[in-house]
Amino acid sequence: KTMPTYKLSYFPGRGLGEVSRQMLHLSGTPFEDNRITMDDWPKHKESTPFGQMPVLTVDGKQIPQSFAIARYLANQFGFAGKTPLESAWVDALADQYKDYTTEIRPFLMVAYGFGEGDKDKLRKEVAEPAINKLFTILEKKAKENGSNGHFVGSSLTWVDLLVSDHMGILETHVPNAFTAFPTVQDIRKKTTSLPKLKEWIDKRPVTPF
């Protein structure tokens, strides 16, 4: 059976596409890293299932929605947890993360330069409460999981990748965001020091988010 061909289409940044790029790289799977600029996006929009990116194309068939893509790849390559219960917890933490991104979005839009607003005020009133809510949950889960460098089970899952990459982006906008969450910081250290992930981080295009 021949290897499927993978193409991941997303904007040049890390954002919602990065966790899937990382799983493809970690699994040693060749893929087309199709980075579409903001200027070119309008002419591609109509050809995507939901009028948004990322889109994963597997042997010519498209899959939309970042978390559907991530779950698909996690199931293909062993990053979804080892049991149905582990997978459910990976999904639960990812869904909680998605709720958090909705909460913190007004701050990030301004921080990334996509919107107007008082960044300091938004940091205090929007970002810090959202961060504390999510990361308190993550810290508790990481401890309950045995402080073993993973959020769920004893193997790398896509939620380890998701949170670790986001921390790298967030700390440039919210200094000391994670001081109260040492067990989560340990997961990030363990995840980002994986040789294959380090190799990807060193070669991927440098983007602000």
Side-chain angles (χ1 to χ4, degrees):
K1 188 173 169 297
T2 54
M3 185 99 172
T5 60
Y6 293 95
K7 176 170 84 170
L8 187 72
S9 302
Y10 189 56
F11 296 109
R14 279 139 65 189
L16 298 170
E18 184 62 16
V19 68
S20 292
R21 290 183 189 130
Q22 289 184 5
M23 284 189 280
L24 285 158
H25 186 76
L26 283 166
S27 64
T29 306
F31 71 104
E32 185 188 336
D33 190 3
N34 181 28
R35 293 172 184 246
I36 295 171
T37 63
M38 288 287 196
D39 293 343
D40 282 345
W41 165 235
K43 60 175 183 279
H44 293 277
K45 194 176 164 81
E46 284 302 296
S47 68
T48 65
F50 294 168
Q52 60 194 42
M53 293 194 293
V55 173
L56 178 70
T57 309
V58 185
D59 288 341
K61 292 188 174 62
Q62 293 181 313
I63 303 171
Q65 275 286 356
S66 59
F67 281 13
I69 294 166
R71 287 187 180 109
Y72 175 83
L73 293 173
N75 284 316
Q76 294 289 94
F77 302 129
F79 300 115
K82 298 284 185 224
T83 65
L85 184 64
E86 284 186 13
S87 296
W89 262 101
V90 171
D91 282 349
L93 292 175
D95 287 343
Q96 191 68 28
Y97 174 89
K98 194 171 245 186
D99 291 349
Y100 151 85
T101 56
T102 306
E103 288 168 23
I104 200 171
R105 189 180 168 86
F107 167 76
L108 291 181
M109 284 291 120
V110 171
Y112 295 167
F114 292 134
E116 293 296 309
D118 181 337
K119 190 177 164 181
D120 289 332
K121 189 172 190 291
L122 285 165
R123 183 190 289 128
K124 282 191 194 70
E125 293 175 7
V126 173
E128 286 171 7
I131 292 163
N132 283 327
K133 182 174 152 188
L134 177 70
F135 280 81
T136 299
I137 290 168
L138 292 175
E139 181 74 9
K140 181 169 180 265
K141 181 65 182 128
K143 283 202 179 92
E144 283 171 359
N145 194 47
S147 306
N148 66 353
H150 301 293
F151 287 113
V152 179
S154 58
S155 62
L156 182 69
T157 67
W158 67 277
V159 83
D160 296 336
L161 297 170
L162 184 73
V163 172
S164 297
D165 189 69
H166 178 67
M167 288 170 79
I169 295 170
L170 194 64
E171 70 189 355
T172 62
H173 300 288
V174 185
N176 307 320
F178 312 117
T179 39
F181 311 109
T183 323
V184 177
Q185 288 187 63
D186 290 344
I187 290 176
R188 182 189 171 196
K189 275 192 210 86
K190 180 168 178 162
T191 304
T192 52
S193 62
L194 291 165
K196 275 200 89 97
L197 189 57
K198 241 177 103 25
E199 179 191 308
W200 167 251
I201 290 168
D202 291 344
K203 78 171 193 183
R204 72 184 175 191
V206 176
T207 57
F209 44 79

